[in-house]
Amino acid sequence: MPTRATKRGDERTSLAGAYDVLICGASFAGLAVARELAGSSADVLIVDRYEIGERQTSACGIPTRWLEEMGLMEAERQRFDSLVIHTPHGDSRYRLPWTFSTFDYRTICTLLWADCDARFETAKVEGLISGAVNGSDAVAVETDRGVVSAPLVVDALGWRRVLAGPAGYQPPDAPLSRGLEVHPGGGAEDLEIWIDRRYVPAGYGWSFPAGKETRIGVGSFDPKFHVRETTELLAADLERDNVRYQGNWIPHKLRKGTGRDVFFAGDSAGHCLPLTAEGIRTALYFGMALGRELRCVVEGRQSREAAAAHYAEFNDSHERKFEWMLRVQKLVPRVPPRLLGPLIRVFGVKRFVDWSFRHYLAIAPPEFVREGRYLAFSQSVPTPASTSSGGSSS
Ligand SMILES: Cc1cc2nc3c(=O)[nH]c(=O)nc-3n(C[C@H](O)[C@H](O)[C@H](O)COP(=O)(O)OP(=O)(O)OC[C@H]3O[C@@H](n4cnc5c(N)ncnc54)[C@H](O)[C@@H]3O)c2cc1C
């Protein structure tokens, strides 16, 4: 595990001060927000306990088109046009209607950061300080390097939702999945998943090749099921070494996008998709939507309250899709194992695969990147948020 980069000794100068925007968390969601604010001339501070790109948080798989649309192809490591699904009673290869890529975490973060003009500091965020700051509308956040305040504060800190205070999650009694993977050297050809109770009663195992290494892991929808032993079992079955572990809790329930005068994006808002645990694309997507709203505030085109209302509406407009995915997540473990193989083959019919994967991609479509990059969501994309909410920017 990398050591935390929070400044020590003489380097640990105070950060105390006031900014226009404070973004807590410099991974996918936080960097996506900051990128949308570039060129707005707002004074933006982004903080993370690690240096940017220092600590990989996932297997780093994403639909290729998202990398293309965001100009991040340099980070791509491998591309796949099919998915191999293994069950104890048979395997299937699904030809995908769009390709999926694995990428390098450090490179993608470096590329995202290169598009930002914010200031970055390493600091551990401890929580929100309640009450107004000197009678202003600023929100104060406690860090291990002092109190930082801004009228616009973003929590992109991951599943802990640190700035939500007592409303944060406590595993294992929370809607969280558990994921762990190892990163042995050596490549492979296929993107593969295992739906097999030998590895996990509710969830799946995966092998995501990424050029010179393969990311092999197990995710359990049941937070009480420990995945270390079976991650090692899957790696052993694939004759790979158990090296370079990385794991985390993965939220599988959409949460509110705003609260306590704070904006939440990515895992902190439960933006990771249930069933597939795909959370990078959605962290970028919701991060961009939020960044566009905040940009309108710093440019004086809408109030913080209007931005909060638009973003909350945008967030909630995805509730039905997230709930539907969660329903399937709960259903899959109930299917008797002997039916899984035949069912996987039936669902492998090309027309069904094309239909379901296209709908799945449309939950956070790649075109969103192009649509009004510097305009508020409510102005640029025809969705319920744009038709029902008034009082947006003029
Ligand atoms: C094993 C595993 C494999 C996965 N594989 C995939 C995959 O292939 N594809 C996919 O789409 N999704 C995958 N996911 C899910 C994906 O990792 C998350 O949904 C995604 O990282 C969410 O992005 P985020 O920016 O919201 O949060 P994170 O990426 O978790 O970033 C949070 C940031 O906040 C910082 N931070 C946290 N607490 C503090 C604090 N108190 N003070 C300061 N900084 C703090 C962290 O250092 C980090 O930089 C996987 C998850 C796991 C666990």
Side-chain angles (χ1 to χ4, degrees):
M1 295 288 277
T3 48
R4 187 188 295 163
T6 297
K7 304 250 183 302
R8 295 183 194 283
D10 288 350
E11 283 195 308
R12 201 168 171 279
T13 51
S14 172
L15 257 194
Y19 298 83
D20 295 330
V21 186
L22 170 64
I23 302 170
C24 304
S27 187
F28 305 108
L31 291 172
V33 176
R35 195 173 180 256
E36 292 297 322
L37 290 164
S40 66
S41 72
D43 192 7
V44 181
L45 176 68
I46 179 161
V47 294
D48 198 292
R49 58 189 169 170
Y50 296 103
E51 293 290 349
I52 293 172
E54 184 186 340
R55 189 170 185 263
Q56 181 164 338
T57 50
S58 79
C60 294
I62 191 167
T64 313
R65 279 202 50 214
W66 265 84
L67 293 183
E68 284 169 351
E69 293 284 351
M70 293 192 75
L72 302 170
M73 287 305 285
E74 201 184 319
E76 189 189 42
R77 288 295 170 266
Q78 206 162 329
R79 195 179 304 181
F80 310 89
D81 60 7
S82 65
L83 170 68
V84 180
I85 305 182
H86 302 276
T87 77
H89 301 276
D91 303 335
S92 277
R93 180 181 288 273
Y94 285 20
R95 290 271 160 218
L96 304 176
W98 38 267
T99 59
F100 197 78
S101 295
T102 47
F103 62 82
D104 180 69
Y105 182 70
R106 186 179 287 272
T107 309
I108 212 166
C109 289
T110 306
L111 291 171
L112 286 168
W113 179 238
D115 284 345
C116 301
D117 57 10
R119 179 174 155 195
F120 173 77
E121 290 287 344
T122 50
K124 180 166 186 279
V125 176
E126 316 276 12
L128 204 65
I129 299 175
S130 3
V133 180
N134 298 332
S136 73
D137 64 351
V139 178
V141 171
E142 178 140 33
T143 78
D144 64 348
R145 292 179 59 197
V147 175
V148 186
S149 66
L152 300 171
V153 172
V154 177
D155 179 336
L157 294 166
W159 65 269
R160 265 182 223 280
R161 201 173 160 97
V162 175
L163 299 184
Y169 277 170
Q170 270 315 314
D173 301 312
L176 294 167
S177 299
R178 196 190 267 268
L180 180 70
E181 62 186 16
V182 289
H183 294 182
E189 285 274 299
D190 289 320
L191 187 71
E192 296 171 89
I193 67 166
W194 284 261
I195 306 174
D196 187 337
R197 283 166 205 192
R198 205 165 145 259
Y199 299 125
V200 56
Y204 64 95
W206 65 85
S207 170
F208 281 18
K212 291 182 187 148
E213 69 171 26
T214 301
R215 297 153 187 171
I216 297 167
V218 173
S220 171
F221 303 142
D222 173 4
K224 295 198 168 79
F225 181 83
H226 292 259
V227 288
R228 185 175 181 118
E229 226 170 83
T230 56
T231 296
E232 291 172 351
L233 176 66
L234 177 56
D237 287 349
L238 298 175
E239 298 178 356
R240 295 303 189 101
D241 294 334
N242 287 308
V243 287
R244 292 188 284 277
Y245 288 78
Q246 80 89 17
N248 205 348
W249 297 99
I250 309 169
H252 56 234
K253 197 167 191 329
L254 187 68
R255 307 193 72 187
K256 289 293 170 198
T258 55
R260 297 180 93 200
D261 289 331
V262 174
F263 297 86
F264 298 88
D267 277 7
S268 75
H271 288 151
C272 192
L273 293 166
L275 182 65
T276 58
E278 196 202 338
I280 298 169
R281 166 170 60 119
T282 46
L284 294 170
Y285 170 72
F286 283 98
M288 290 174 95
L290 174 56
R292 289 168 189 178
E293 293 296 345
L294 299 187
R295 190 180 179 100
C296 284
V297 180
V298 298
E299 290 179 345
R301 292 190 280 136
Q302 71 175 344
S303 65
R304 177 173 80 181
E305 290 65 34
H310 293 148
Y311 181 63
E313 200 167 3
F314 176 64
N315 183 73
D316 296 352
S317 72
H318 294 75
E319 211 165 338
R320 217 164 46 86
K321 290 168 187 168
F322 274 69
E323 268 172 15
W324 189 84
M325 300 271 309
L326 186 56
R327 247 178 260 146
V328 183
Q329 170 176 310
K330 288 179 178 160
L331 191 72
V332 173
R334 295 204 198 116
V335 177
R338 72 194 150 71
L339 289 185
L340 262 181
L343 273 179
I344 294 287
R345 275 191 291 281
V346 168
F347 288 132
V349 173
K350 189 173 179 326
R351 264 176 59 190
F352 181 77
V353 173
D354 286 358
W355 175 85
S356 53
F357 275 79
R358 286 210 172 101
H359 273 76
Y360 176 67
L361 187 65
I363 296 173
E367 303 79 46
F368 185 75
V369 179
R370 252 179 294 151
E371 284 163 355
R373 175 161 177 201
Y374 293 123
L375 293 174
F377 165 80
S378 47
Q379 294 174 309
S380 59
V381 186
T383 71
S386 62
T387 48
S388 59
S389 58
S392 152
S393 47
S394 54

